[in-house]
Amino acid sequence: MAKKLSAGSIASLIGAAALIFASIKFPWWGMKFYAPQYMEGLDIIVYPSKLAGDIDIVNGLNHYIGMAPFSNESFPELQYLPGLIMGLAAIIIIVALVRKKSLLYVPPALLIVGGALGIYDMNRWLTKFGTELDPKAPIELEPFVPPIIGENILANFVTHSYFTTGSFLLGAGFLLTLLPFWLERRK
């Protein structure tokens, strides 16, 4: 007979699914730009389904260095990422309801693979936008790759890249998918 999950493990998985689902409504990543003329900073805020912040101003400034403008349409991932997240949350709930210990590896594995693909994709876009600069731009700069996390200095701009609320919810959800391994260790 297959071993069944305890109530604590089921609650942990349902909590993980709830946090992951809730992350859709919050920004996952951001970048803040500071310069003498923008002391309050300019923001790019990335939600799973859209970009927000001072996109038009940043695009106007990026024009001077030959960077392609970006918008929601620039990132096809924004069209399907919320559906993937809802699907992941549904899979976690199914694992909780089926209650088979053998399925406990599925949620964290999916989150690890999804997270790795997400980081790869972010780096791919940052590399594309920072290295494919128009050579006819008014200001000539060496190609660059902004960091996913941390500070970068470009001309008179200092940028800070960071994960935010939605990413923290994903991380907490991931930890809740690991908790059943500890809860079930004695059974």
Side-chain angles (χ1 to χ4, degrees), residues 35-69:
Q37 65 273 37
Y38 296 103
M39 295 298 286
E40 72 287 351
L42 299 171
D43 290 302
I44 295 175
I45 303 164
V46 181
Y47 288 78
S49 61
K50 66 181 180 181
L51 300 177
D54 303 302
I55 304 299
D56 291 337
I57 296 170
V58 173
N59 276 336
L61 293 167
N62 284 345
H63 161 77
Y64 291 106
I65 63 170
M67 184 180 286

Side-chain angles (χ1 to χ4, degrees), residues 5-90:
L5 295 177
S6 66
S9 292
I10 293 167
S12 181
L13 291 171
I14 290 173
L19 289 173
I20 289 166
F21 181 78
S23 77
I24 294 171
K25 297 295 181 192
F26 294 93
W28 284 11
W29 185 80
M31 184 179 276
K32 192 146 187 111
F33 300 77
Y34 295 98
Q37 65 273 37
Y38 296 103
M39 295 298 286
E40 72 287 351
L42 299 171
D43 290 302
I44 295 175
I45 303 164
V46 181
Y47 288 78
S49 61
K50 66 181 180 181
L51 300 177
D54 303 302
I55 304 299
D56 291 337
I57 296 170
V58 173
N59 276 336
L61 293 167
N62 284 345
H63 161 77
Y64 291 106
I65 63 170
M67 184 180 286
F70 49 85
S71 65
N72 290 332
E73 293 74 30
S74 303
F75 305 99
E77 297 88 339
L78 299 177
Q79 303 299 312
Y80 60 79
L81 189 55
L84 288 176
I85 295 303
M86 287 187 274
L88 176 60

Side-chain angles (χ1 to χ4, degrees), residues 90-164:
I91 289 169
I92 295 171
I93 288 173
I94 290 167
V95 168
L97 296 177
V98 171
R99 298 183 61 192
K100 287 188 178 181
K101 285 186 181 183
S102 61
L103 296 177
L104 277 180
Y105 293 95
V106 172
L110 289 173
L111 283 162
I112 289 168
V113 169
L117 289 172
I119 297 293
Y120 167 80
D121 195 50
M122 285 179 64
N123 188 63
R124 182 177 66 88
W125 282 115
L126 289 169
T127 300
K128 178 179 175 49
F129 278 92
T131 60
E132 295 178 9
L133 303 175
D134 183 350
K136 298 176 187 165
I139 299 172
E140 188 175 325
L141 284 178
E142 289 293 318
F144 64 98
V145 179
I148 291 174
I149 299 175
E151 184 177 282
N152 187 42
I153 298 173
L154 182 65
N156 65 333
F157 279 87
V158 176
T159 63
H160 296 277
S161 305
Y162 54 91
F163 288 113
T164 187

